[in-house]
Amino acid sequence: MVKMAAGEENQQGHRAGVYKQKNKGHKNGKHRTKGEIEKDHKGRVSVTALTKKQRREQKRMDRRHQANQHRKNKKDMVLTEKRRLGSKDGPPHLVVVVTLHAGVDAAAVAKLLCSEGAGGLVRQERCVSGVAESFGLILPRFKQRFTLVRPDTADLYALLDLAKMADSLVFVLDPTEGWDSYGDYCLSCLFAQGLPSHVLVGQGAPELSGKRRVESKRALAKILEYRFPDSRLLPLDTEQDALLILRHLSAQRQRKLGFRSRRPHLVAQSVSYTPSTSAPGGAPATGLGTLHVSGYVRGCPLQVDRLVHLTGYGDFQLSQVDAPADPLPLIFPTTRTAKPGKEGEVDMQDTDAAPVRILMKADPARREGLQAEAEVDPMDGEQTWPTDTELIEAEETRKVKKLMKVPKGTSDYQASWIGEELDGDAESCDDDEDDDEDDDEDGMMDEDMEEDDEDIDSQCADSQTAGSLCGSDEEQEELSPTEPSGADQRYDDHIDEEEEGEGLKRYREARAHELFPDEVDTPLNMPAKNRFQRYRGLKSFRSTRWDPMENLPPDYSRIFQFKSFDRTRRRILAEAAKEEEGAMVGWYVTLHIIDVPPSVMEGVAAGRPLVVVSLMPHEQKMSVMHLLVRRQPNNKDTIKAKEELVFQCGFRRFRASPIFSQHTTADKHKMERFLRQDAPTVVTVYAPITFPPAGTLVFKQRDDGMQDLVATGSLLSCDPQRVVLKRLVLSGHPFKINKHSAVVRYMFFNREDILWFKPVELRTKWGRRGHIKMALGTHGHMKCQFDNQLCSQDTVMMNLFKRAYPRWTYDPYAPIPLPWVKSELSEEIEDADMD
């Protein structure tokens, strides 16, 4: 054997054995690593990367200068908007005085703010159409002009319309109680729709003694912490206090409301109506006319080709915009030859001699149309057209169907025909049910009431044997309570028995739904597969797909839909922010609104203010709107789905019949039969498109004309493809229980229904899951397989779903609620609560 040299052995090194650990190589995927990319580029840099790198790498001083410029531009913008309001270049400062307590003297408050001692000069009275107590005020000392309005607080709609247009609100409080129950109700509505800048003032504090004044001040501060944690209460008892409040109003920071600042709007200061003598083209008159509305443009520039919305009346078109003389000018002498006087002396113009200029006229080619609904093509979706022969055969068949009314069993043809007729009747019966939950819940309530009657009868039977309350009429008269007192009689006079009975029925329905959610009984008089033929089972409510374009109702052919609502909203809002043409903010203009019904003038004559808002593109078109609301804590009424409610969404007010659903992030949402008290709920209605943000108020109309605030929230989105599923739960009872199977009964009552619903999954209240294995007999017994053994007290359930849609009951003419008056009944209730 040849010996290996020492150098050669060292050069060969160590050889690994068979037990050496072998690690997996790093899996970098199909992409290239950074090192490989750098090797391939060999130092070359793309043009885009080079420019981005240069743009990012700025010097420190350049970054500081850029930040200072942005800060300065924003500060100048805020100061410009602040100085423009109330000056000669902007609209007058619109101040609305709101009294929150019945014991406050509202007339004295308005008199103090408009007094000469406060430095104001009243140049115009009744300057807001429909409001008696409204004044145009000029303050030469501050070079400001104000429009003070004191609406009737009892008219809730008038208060809300003026508050959403106001620049500042002045809340007048009682020095001891702050606000009463109706004042708290008004505050809830104002906070929900959006609260602008506000000032809290108190009246009557000097009349209290020293000790009572300190106690009332401490109690009032505690009350204010709930609604106004960061606000300060200002006194308003003298003209000096009024001067300080006006100075505070002119200098305070203005709050921006999104739905108001992005749209041109104005409050009508003068309104006139001209009936049309003839329609265009020589047609006879339609009963409509032209409404002339004058006021100051606010928000952003107004375009004549855009539609306008009159709150409570609907959408209309403009024909032209005029520029009359400003009724409240603010002009200061600039030449040395002017008449000497105090600094800031105001020189008034002769407004009657100034001519009226025509600013803009609408272009029929560019003016937006009033089309709110899409054109419905009844043959849209038809693939074939029947031939003449098929039409003749169908007509003959229809005539034969009418004549073929013979007893069952006469012949094979007649017997089969009678069976088809019965099936058709079942289908038509199901088609006529627009609201299945009404029938379901009525059936549940009938059973509950029958059980209650049986319990009462049994109690009466027991009591008769014992000789107690359910005896003869004479015994009942002997044991009857004493005659009602005068207070009880007056209390009963204000109660409507029919309304009480309806409220009891609603309460029992809501209670039954809370105890047994979505559970219904299988009908005995018709097959379940016919009764629930619109429903289907879902393997998983979360992951199973539901086609949003499947089996849409005919109403969906009348609405409009965006491919991407969010992208369209961003584009339209960006275009609206760049508009610099039209009637500018602060101009006093007259709008010629055409084809207006005379009912608008009836509302103005009744003392209601008129608010005009210019619409954005597409905001007159109908679609499916979703509102996110939450119930009012102090309202306990039962609100059922598809019940007619009154909505105020942003600048619109309308009536509609909504449906309710859960607010989740999934692609399917479970329908709620009632508006829940403990969770936010999505309300779905057919309504015109509105771009958020916008506050939402939901009212319920009483039988006596009053309205209750039931929910508040905001506009969520516009999405017709949002799937809302209504759930039905069929329940059964385990009859025989084995280890992994059970015989279930009372869910169905014939063999055909069991075979029809066999693919649907079963579940139990105790968490077991299973499926139908086979039908036993012909009376509805079925053998079911489960993942574990059932308990004897468990309940077997089957979930069925169908898509739900709201009702098309949109009405832009919302009913006007009766003015709030504190009745004797409310006083007695408050006294009883205090006792």
Side-chain angles (χ1 to χ4, degrees), residues 814-832:
I816 304 297
L818 294 178
W820 183 84
V821 179
K822 191 171 184 179
S823 61
E824 297 178 359
L825 177 62
S826 60
E827 293 178 356
E828 293 176 2
I829 293 176
E830 290 181 0
D831 296 340

Side-chain angles (χ1 to χ4, degrees), residues 7 216 230 246 275 417 435 509 635 643 699 722 833:
S216 65
D230 300 329
L246 291 175
W417 171 245
D435 192 2
E509 289 178 2
N635 185 274
E643 181 179 352
F699 297 93
R722 187 178 189 270
D833 293 340

